[in-house]
Amino acid sequence: MKDFIEFKNVTKTYFIGDEKYNALDGISFKIPKGEFVVILGPSGAGKSTLLNLLGGMDQATSGNIIIDGENIEKYNANEMSEYRAENVGFIFQFYNILPTLTVLENVEIVKDIVKRPRSAKNILKDVGLEKHLTKFPNQLSGGEQQRVSIARAIAKNPKILLCDEPTGALDSKTGVEVLKLLKKCCDANNGENTVVIVTHNALIAEIADRVIRIKNGQIDSVVENKKPKNIDEVVW
């Protein structure tokens, strides 16, 4: 399958006072289109920095990031904004949904951002929230709020779904249901969707097509999983 994401010798440097710190230090890897990918590593390894670069929320200090044949590191501010809007869906650990909007409004908000949004009502039905359209976030459980977050990301109809510890704030049973939903997103659209999950939970790696391990800002290993487990086969 054709490579969809490629990092080429990417470094991200921060300065703390006079001290230089490489959050990522010359990393390179490739991800084919349509894969369910898990990025593993301890806190401070560089996982979130990688996700921010991939999502266009930050830019590399050096190196190239190729997405679907385009070097996004050469984008200007307007091009990067369009890339984020049209190509990337974000799912965060703590949901980041708006407390003053209803479930439906939280998902419909993407129609003001993207050119070809999907139907908010249809997606909310897909994630099992069709009976909660008029509720506010504080009337939902943690798992339901995460489903709103996922629905909002899917509504953008993105090429890449980026997930930062999407099950970190959930109990194991609810976390499994969220992972099933994310896997379903990856398998939808004729295999065109790519899902990247950043986590420290090694169990999630068992269901991934590819596992990228990061340590101290460098790639420790990249392993293609020829026979990923079904989510129900994993002992959570």
Side-chain angles (χ1 to χ4, degrees):
M1 193 175 290
K2 180 183 176 182
D3 290 325
F4 178 56
I5 296 168
E6 183 175 5
F7 274 50
K8 292 183 176 181
N9 198 29
V10 173
T11 294
K12 179 62 182 179
T13 302
Y14 296 101
F15 288 90
I16 303 173
D18 294 329
E19 296 292 320
K20 184 172 78 170
Y21 166 65
N22 285 338
L24 295 176
D25 192 5
I27 68 169
S28 298
F29 63 87
K30 299 177 181 180
I31 296 174
K33 179 176 285 189
E35 286 197 343
F36 188 87
V37 179
V38 169
I39 298 176
L40 277 179
S43 296
K47 304 187 304 297
S48 293
T49 299
L50 190 158
L51 206 70
N52 289 340
L53 294 178
L54 182 52
M57 294 188 290
D58 203 350
Q59 287 192 289
T61 304
S62 62
N64 296 297
I65 300 173
I66 314 299
I67 308 294
D68 203 13
E70 292 278 331
N71 187 353
I72 66 171
E73 288 305 303
K74 296 187 181 299
Y75 283 174
N76 60 33
N78 288 338
E79 289 170 330
M80 190 63 88
S81 292
E82 185 174 350
Y83 164 76
R84 287 193 300 267
E86 296 293 333
N87 293 282
V88 183
F90 292 98
I91 298 169
F92 301 96
Q93 178 177 353
F94 296 107
Y95 325 134
N96 284 9
I97 54 179
L98 300 172
T100 58
L101 298 183
T102 65
V103 166
L104 181 60
E105 290 168 341
N106 260 288
V107 178
E108 284 185 329
I109 197 170
V110 303
K111 69 184 180 182
D112 297 324
I113 302 171
V114 299
K115 298 172 184 175
R116 295 177 296 277
R118 294 176 60 186
S119 165
K121 287 185 177 180
N122 287 348
I123 292 169
L124 285 165
K125 181 178 180 180
D126 289 343
V127 301
L129 292 176
E130 68 270 26
K131 296 180 180 180
H132 302 286
L133 301 185
T134 59
K135 288 185 178 179
F136 289 91
N138 65 0
Q139 297 174 294
L140 304 175
S141 68
E144 288 167 340
Q145 289 185 58
Q146 186 61 293
R147 286 172 182 267
V148 175
S149 176
I150 292 170
R152 183 181 58 191
I154 297 170
K156 292 179 68 179
N157 203 20
K159 294 180 181 179
I160 312 169
L161 203 57
L162 301 180
C163 314
D164 192 356
E165 297 283 6
T167 63
L170 305 174
D171 62 79
S172 59
K173 182 179 178 181
T174 306
V176 167
E177 293 304 313
V178 165
L179 288 172
K180 285 181 178 179
L181 190 53
L182 292 173
K183 190 68 171 68
K184 182 180 177 182
C185 295
C186 190
D187 294 337
N189 199 25
N190 297 315
E192 291 291 304
N193 298 340
T194 303
V195 175
V196 179
I197 297 179
V198 159
T199 183
H200 65 272
N201 185 349
L203 288 174
I204 298 177
E206 296 183 34
I207 66 173
D209 298 308
R210 188 175 304 268
V211 181
I212 300 172
R213 295 179 185 272
I214 298 183
K215 186 177 181 180
N216 298 325
Q218 297 181 321
I219 299 295
D220 191 47
S221 65
V222 179
V223 178
E224 183 181 356
N225 190 356
K226 296 290 187 180
K227 294 182 178 180
K229 287 185 178 181
N230 183 287
I231 294 173
D232 290 326
E233 294 177 318
V234 179
V235 180
W236 300 96

